[in-house]
Amino acid sequence: REDSLPLQKHKFFMSGAQVGDASASAGAGSAGDVDATVKEPLDLIRLSLDERVFVKLRGERELRGKLHAYDQHLNMVLGDVEESVTTVETDEETFEEIIKTKKREIPFLFVRGDGVVLVAPPLRST
């Protein structure tokens, strides 16, 4: 029965706030009080909120966009996204590999975390 299923709390971090768990005070706070230390892997993602990130997905897909939100499963909301899809085809006569890259612009995109292979934050100068 549906009413007997347990409810699960789910935290979704957005730029400037943490959504989904009103009692939690840790995580991404307001922009002025964000702790800039990296103690665990998702801290690196937290520090990249509101910045452009590079995301590599399964299936030779790559995304570049502004990170608006994420959660512990690496589900992400990206804005101003450039998607690149690379395909390799073989010429039937010469058997040469032909590499094709298709690009498109997407205003807003929800990325499901199970397809994420790599997330690269923007380069930071010291």
Side-chain angles (χ1 to χ4, degrees):
R1 288 179 37 186
E2 274 189 51
D3 57 338
S4 65
L5 294 175
L7 294 176
Q8 295 181 348
K9 278 195 169 184
H10 189 75
K11 294 180 186 175
F12 200 72
F13 297 93
M14 296 175 46
S15 57
Q18 179 176 321
V19 177
D21 187 358
S23 64
S25 59
S30 66
D33 66 353
V34 171
D35 182 12
T37 59
V38 176
K39 296 177 183 170
E40 56 186 66
L42 285 180
D43 289 344
L44 197 57
I45 307 298
R46 176 180 47 84
L47 294 173
S48 301
L49 281 169
D50 279 336
E51 297 191 44
R52 289 191 66 79
V53 294
F54 171 78
V55 180
K56 185 166 178 61
L57 302 170
R58 287 193 256 160
E60 301 302 318
R61 294 178 63 201
E62 297 177 350
L63 306 171
R64 284 181 174 76
K66 185 176 179 182
L67 180 63
H68 290 283
Y70 73 96
D71 67 9
Q72 73 271 18
H73 305 289
L74 282 184
N75 294 320
M76 291 181 266
V77 177
L78 300 174
D80 300 321
V81 181
E82 178 185 281
E83 177 189 40
S84 300
V85 180
T86 304
T87 57
V88 178
E89 298 174 2
T90 304
D91 186 299
E92 292 183 16
E93 294 176 8
T94 63
F95 298 104
E96 289 184 42
E97 288 187 343
I98 302 166
I99 298 172
K100 294 183 179 180
T101 303
K102 295 180 184 176
K103 293 187 177 190
R104 67 178 178 157
E105 301 287 325
I106 306 166
F108 257 104
L109 185 66
F110 176 85
V111 180
R112 185 175 159 124
D114 67 347
V116 174
V117 174
L118 174 137
V119 178
L123 292 175
R124 301 191 196 286
S125 58
T126 55

